[in-house]
Amino acid sequence: MSGDIITGLWRKFCRGDYSAFSELYRLLFPELLAYGCKIGGDYEMAEDVIQELFLKLYQNKVKLKDDEKLRVFLFRSVKNGIYTQLERSARQQQLPDVPEDFKQDFMIDEDYLGSQEEDIRQKVRSIIKGLTPRQREVVYLRFIHEMSYEEISGIMGINLQSAKNLLSRTVVSIRKSSLAEMESIFLLIAINMKNFSD
């Protein structure tokens, strides 16, 4: 989704156009919900965190220094909200600390795979298992949500160069996992992550 559209709607809302806020919520809710679920929250938890965040925005309890960073602010706030909820739940249940896993499930397009279906499926699973949670998250943000490195760095809480390096190391890691079939498998990963998030 275009950052210009998001920024434009935000600015309209700030000038008093409440229908722009509704449109902003409608556009961003699905991707924020998918992200919240993938970083460790369940559907209800992610939904609650997002609704609370938008309520604060609506009540003007949040002031942004840079309107163009609204999307980064929202993703980062959802991530922080989910982690806070998980920590609170862990303390109440006396469970271990918040998991650092970035959950990502994959569905494989049966028609695309043809005769090598099971072999490729196993290789994709193996490659995904070989990635760290942060590597899975950077791939998800870059290729599924088509975020810039600046947005990724803001959401993940790392500097710009670290975001670039992390994605670069992730691609190198995937290439090393299966040099001969790297391009088709990487394409499958990106396509299937996109299909799953829709």
Side-chain angles (χ1 to χ4, degrees):
M1 175 180 323
S2 168
D4 294 338
I5 293 171
I6 294 169
T7 303
L9 288 170
W10 175 251
R11 288 179 179 157
K12 283 181 180 180
F13 166 67
C14 290
R15 289 190 303 266
D17 183 348
Y18 294 103
S19 65
F21 186 81
S22 296
E23 182 66 10
L24 191 65
Y25 181 84
R26 187 188 67 73
L27 289 173
L28 290 170
F29 182 81
E31 65 181 292
L32 291 171
L33 182 65
Y35 182 68
C37 290
K38 288 179 189 339
I39 60 171
D42 61 27
Y43 182 89
E44 288 178 15
M45 181 188 295
E47 186 177 47
D48 288 346
V49 165
I50 295 164
Q51 288 175 354
E52 186 177 316
L53 173 60
F54 273 88
L55 181 61
K56 287 178 184 176
L57 287 172
Y58 188 81
Q59 294 172 337
N60 293 317
K61 292 182 179 176
V62 175
K63 302 290 183 201
L64 296 176
K65 293 178 184 174
D66 184 354
D67 291 346
E68 299 199 5
K69 297 197 187 245
L70 176 66
R71 188 172 185 213
V72 171
F73 168 79
L74 292 172
F75 271 80
R76 185 75 186 257
S77 296
V78 167
K79 183 177 186 175
N80 291 341
I82 294 292
Y83 285 175
T84 299
Q85 291 294 326
L86 289 172
E87 287 172 355
R88 197 173 293 144
S89 294
R91 278 192 298 257
Q92 289 173 350
Q93 299 173 10
Q94 297 182 357
L95 296 174
D97 287 335
V98 177
E100 293 185 20
D101 282 350
F102 179 80
K103 293 190 261 181
Q104 180 62 59
D105 297 321
F106 296 91
M107 299 182 307
I108 307 297
D109 183 358
E110 306 293 332
D111 297 330
Y112 184 81
L113 298 177
S115 63
Q116 299 176 353
E117 175 179 320
E118 191 56 37
D119 184 43
I120 292 175
R121 226 186 243 164
Q122 290 302 322
K123 288 178 182 176
V124 169
R125 285 187 188 114
S126 175
I127 288 171
I128 298 305
K129 285 181 183 178
L131 297 177
T132 68
R134 300 219 12 118
Q135 287 175 321
R136 288 191 295 269
E137 185 174 9
V138 76
V139 166
Y140 179 78
L141 294 172
R142 180 71 174 166
F143 297 112
I144 303 309
H145 290 291
E146 300 173 351
M147 291 188 176
S148 69
Y149 288 113
E150 186 176 280
E151 290 173 313
I152 292 168
S153 69
I155 291 167
M156 295 183 73
I158 57 179
N159 68 43
L160 184 64
Q161 189 59 47
S162 294
K164 290 177 181 180
N165 293 345
L166 179 59
L167 185 61
S168 176
R169 283 193 309 271
T170 302
V171 171
V172 167
S173 175
I174 291 171
R175 282 187 182 138
K176 285 180 181 176
S177 297
S178 181
L179 286 175
E181 298 168 326
M182 189 341 244
E183 287 181 345
S184 62
I185 290 174
F186 192 77
L187 179 61
L188 278 174
I189 291 169
I191 290 170
N192 287 300
M193 285 176 78
K194 177 80 172 162
N195 289 342
F196 184 75
S197 68
D198 290 341

